[in-house]
Amino acid sequence: MIHFDNVTKVYSHQGRPALQGVNVAVEKGEFVFLVGPSGSGKSTFLRLILKEERPTQGGIHVAGKELNKLTNWKIPHLRRRIGCVFQDFRLLPNKNVNENVAFALEVIGKPRRFIRKVVPEVIDLVGLEGKGHRMPDELSGGEQQRVAIARAFVNRPMILLADEPTGNIDPATSIGIMKVLDRINRTGTTVVMATHDAAIVDAFRKRVVELEDGRVVRDQSRGVYGQAYGGV
Amino acid sequence: MRAQFVLQEIWIGLRRNLTMTIALVVTVAIAMALFGTGVLLKMQVDKSNNYWSDKVEVSVYLCNKLSANPACQKKEPSQSDKDAIKNQLQSMPQVASVAAETQAQAYQRAKDRFKDTPGFSDTIQLGDIPDSFRVKLKDPKQYAAVVAQMQGRQGVDQVINERAILEKFFKILGGLQWAALIIAAIQVVAAVLLVANTIRLSAFNRRRETGIMRLVGASNLYIQLPFVLEGAIAGLIGGIFAAVLLGFSKVFLLGRLTRNLQFATELGWLDVTQVIVFSVCFGVVLCSLASFLTLRRYLKI
């Protein structure tokens, strides 16, 4: 589903590469924690998957497409197969929950009847039954993140990318968010989650890929947050 | 494509940027009105030029007892002198035809022309306008040789080239036309900069929305169309105001011109409508293009 083949990324304004010779393969339906200190290249990794950045060297395959060969006008089609969730939720403050979720479908031109059918379904899925008409500022952080997840998942993407989704949320609420992500993963969606949250990584025991200074220093199935080089 | 969604986005964009939008509309209106006025004046000049070019003549006035020219010695030339002048004119290669006008005919013509201003027509007397030859040229631009040969010839009081008078008139119109076009050009530059600024603000205001649109895979068309249409609509509203201003400019500027200057031939509403349609289209295309080019800088794909 996601293949990084010896990928190096150098941002022109800084000498040190953000990623250096990264080889990672994530298969369909996997759940992967991406861990590592700030500046280790986690965000670059996610941005490369979305083709928001181009690798300086190496090849990337996402959802069966070779990104280097993907023309600019086909990028939107790639992104329709990938959902994104962020630490800061990125909801539209002037739209209610239903409208925020529907927005993701409206802007890719889905018919209104389809939107009316799937939006309530996905809102139920993330556990926000009956809160469709709330505005984002009337919701707690955890609920806002659920809305963001609903928006990312409403178009049934093959891949869900989450960049520190529990970064702004207290530990108890984080568990709830993780359960939603797990539920989405069980539908067959590949989930890649970058995180600093040791407790969550340790509790969920999924595959862990650890980055340090742009290199993969650990790739462990059923891993823990731990330390580099095998840890624990 | 969901029209309702796009329209809603445009409306939000225009409303959030109301002051910039107003500035843009006003600038576009002035730019297009001046541009249109320039084009109208150009059409006026061309039309009058065409109309008059085969009607202008060189008039050769002969001496009579009232002539101020000392060479005339207040004497009318004899009939044989007049015939000689006429023959000389007819033998010139540039001349197409020569018509004689007697004092009596000229007096009658002046009476007719000024019949609306009695104070003037009453004071005209037979002999105020001397006998003359109306010379039609094969090519109205080739007047210099004819004028040179007739000027100062014995029995000739003065030679008047009507084309020279017309040219002065056209020069004034031409000057107006260029002034309008130059100011319009400056306004167009201002309009383009304003569009760029408006769209930049609009893109900044909606960066959350466009960021999400990008992430969920909205096509570039979907992301950019509301902005481009925002520019186009501002251009269109500006164009409509410009059309009204052009209507005024037809009635008050050109209308007055044709009434006060006998040289001007009136432009029809059809011509004005053409100019209006062209100006409005130009305004819309200009604003859309400016938005589109601005977006390429401020809206990352």
Side-chain angles (χ1 to χ4, degrees):
Chain A
M1 187 58 50
I2 302 170
H3 287 253
F4 273 53
D5 186 15
N6 204 16
V7 172
T8 298
K9 172 68 187 175
V10 185
Y11 291 103
S12 52
H13 53 273
Q14 65 181 65
R16 197 175 60 81
L19 286 181
Q20 230 177 100
V22 169
N23 285 293
V24 173
V26 178
E27 298 312 324
K28 186 168 172 5
E30 269 196 280
F31 194 116
V32 180
F33 284 118
L34 198 58
V35 301
S38 300
S40 59
K42 300 191 297 294
S43 294
T44 301
F45 188 90
L46 297 182
R47 291 169 65 80
L48 283 168
I49 294 173
L50 288 164
K51 209 178 175 187
E52 287 208 72
E53 303 285 351
R54 267 132 242 240
T56 315
Q57 260 172 45
I60 302 173
H61 285 76
V62 175
K65 294 193 195 317
E66 188 180 345
L67 297 197
N68 286 341
K69 288 186 180 163
L70 198 69
T71 51
N72 270 354
W73 64 275
K74 278 195 168 159
I75 292 177
H77 292 276
L78 169 75
R79 292 182 183 155
R80 284 178 200 187
R81 303 179 159 199
I82 306 174
C84 280
V85 180
F86 301 92
Q87 183 173 4
D88 56 358
F89 320 138
R90 301 202 188 168
L91 300 178
L92 300 175
N94 53 347
K95 291 188 193 295
N96 69 25
V97 171
N98 282 333
E99 290 163 346
N100 262 289
V101 176
F103 185 77
L105 295 175
E106 281 169 350
V107 299
I108 57 174
K110 293 282 183 196
R112 207 173 312 168
R113 216 179 314 122
F114 174 77
I115 295 175
R116 230 176 267 150
K117 182 170 138 329
V118 298
V119 168
E121 287 174 10
V122 78
I123 284 176
D124 288 355
L125 178 84
V126 299
L128 287 174
E129 300 88 344
K131 295 188 174 166
H133 294 284
R134 300 273 189 91
M135 298 305 279
D137 57 5
E138 297 167 351
L139 299 174
S140 71
E143 287 170 327
Q144 289 189 45
Q145 191 60 292
R146 284 165 192 260
V147 179
I149 293 171
R151 183 180 63 194
F153 189 63
V154 69
N155 197 29
R156 306 284 159 161
M158 303 164 88
I159 301 169
L160 186 77
L161 303 180
D163 194 357
E164 312 248 6
T166 57
N168 277 346
I169 296 167
D170 66 78
T173 315
S174 295
I175 300 291
I177 296 293
M178 287 311 297
K179 283 194 173 142
V180 172
L181 290 179
D182 191 43
R183 200 178 302 157
I184 284 171
N185 178 231
R186 278 167 208 275
T187 66
T189 305
T190 309
V191 179
V192 178
M193 170 171 161
T195 188
H196 279 134
D197 198 329
I200 283 190
V201 176
D202 292 345
F204 275 80
R205 284 288 177 155
K206 301 282 187 184
R207 179 178 170 190
V208 174
V209 174
E210 181 169 349
L211 287 170
E212 201 176 284
D213 290 336
R215 293 177 192 278
V216 177
V217 295
R218 178 165 61 117
D219 188 343
Q220 192 177 25
S221 56
R222 299 184 63 76
V224 291
Y225 191 79
Q227 294 299 311
Y229 308 111
V232 196
Chain B
M1 186 59 52
R2 303 221 2 234
Q4 191 204 343
F5 171 78
V6 174
L7 290 177
Q8 185 186 323
E9 289 291 304
I10 297 168
W11 172 241
I12 293 171
L14 288 174
R15 213 183 36 191
R16 278 199 199 160
N17 263 333
L18 193 61
T19 49
M20 285 297 277
T21 308
I22 291 172
L24 179 57
V25 165
V26 170
T27 312
V28 171
I30 295 173
M32 292 308 115
L34 283 170
F35 171 76
T37 304
V39 174
L40 278 180
L41 282 168
K42 165 119 184 66
M43 287 170 83
Q44 174 79 75
V45 169
D46 288 350
K47 194 166 182 177
S48 307
N49 221 340
N50 280 341
Y51 179 77
W52 284 102
S53 65
D54 57 333
K55 293 187 178 56
V56 289
E57 297 167 330
V58 174
S59 301
V60 178
Y61 289 98
L62 303 182
C63 295
N64 73 356
K65 53 186 185 300
L66 294 170
S67 299
N69 189 342
C72 286
Q73 300 162 329
K74 309 263 181 217
K75 265 197 337 219
E76 231 177 286
S78 66
Q79 190 56 45
S80 60
D81 283 340
K82 289 180 185 173
D83 289 344
I85 293 171
K86 188 173 183 183
N87 285 337
Q88 191 186 348
L89 281 170
Q90 275 167 338
S91 66
M92 288 183 197
Q94 300 90 344
V95 170
S97 66
V98 179
E101 189 180 55
T102 63
Q103 289 185 23
Q105 286 166 333
Y107 169 72
Q108 205 49 51
R109 208 155 65 95
K111 275 270 190 210
D112 282 349
R113 175 177 276 186
F114 297 109
K115 63 177 181 285
D116 296 335
T117 40
F120 193 57
S121 65
D122 290 350
T123 56
I124 298 178
Q125 287 178 7
L126 187 65
D128 281 352
I129 306 170
D131 288 349
S132 65
F133 291 113
R134 308 262 144 183
V135 181
K136 244 194 181 66
L137 300 176
K138 285 177 184 146
D139 175 2
K141 291 186 189 90
Q142 302 291 326
Y143 58 81
V146 181
V147 173
Q149 288 190 49
M150 284 296 125
Q151 202 101 57
R153 191 192 187 287
Q154 198 197 347
V156 172
D157 183 0
Q158 43 183 330
V159 182
I160 290 178
N161 175 25
E162 287 176 350
R163 192 173 172 83
I165 300 168
L166 270 182
E167 259 162 13
K168 225 177 263 170
F169 163 72
F170 288 140
K171 233 181 201 161
I172 295 170
L173 277 190
L176 276 176
Q177 166 201 332
W178 281 112
L181 286 180
I182 287 170
I183 300 172
I186 295 170
Q187 289 282 328
V188 163
V189 172
V192 167
L193 293 178
L194 267 173
V195 170
N197 228 346
T198 310
I199 295 303
R200 200 175 54 143
L201 264 179
S202 207
F204 183 77
N205 278 338
R206 287 208 306 246
R207 64 194 183 286
R208 267 172 182 280
E209 281 90 340
T210 51
I212 291 164
M213 287 166 96
R214 244 161 35 76
L215 277 176
V216 301
S219 62
N220 297 343
L221 181 72
Y222 234 105
I223 300 178
Q224 294 179 346
L225 197 65
F227 292 98
V228 173
L229 286 181
E230 205 180 306
I233 286 176
L236 184 67
I237 299 174
I240 291 169
F241 280 117
V244 175
L245 288 175
L246 278 174
F248 278 119
S249 124
K250 143 93 177 131
V251 173
F252 291 105
L253 179 68
L254 296 182
R256 207 161 278 181
L257 208 66
T258 41
R259 243 177 292 122
N260 295 344
L261 293 167
Q262 41 177 324
F263 299 116
T265 339
E266 184 146 17
L267 278 181
W269 276 106
L270 185 69
D271 299 314
V272 180
T273 311
Q274 273 176 2
V275 171
I276 286 174
V277 170
F278 183 69
S279 306
V280 171
C281 292
F282 183 61
V284 170
V285 170
L286 183 84
C287 288
S288 317
L289 209 63
S291 330
F292 180 69
L293 294 177
T294 314
L295 279 181
R296 295 174 64 90
R297 264 196 71 188
Y298 292 103
L299 215 62
K300 214 183 87 178
I301 300 305

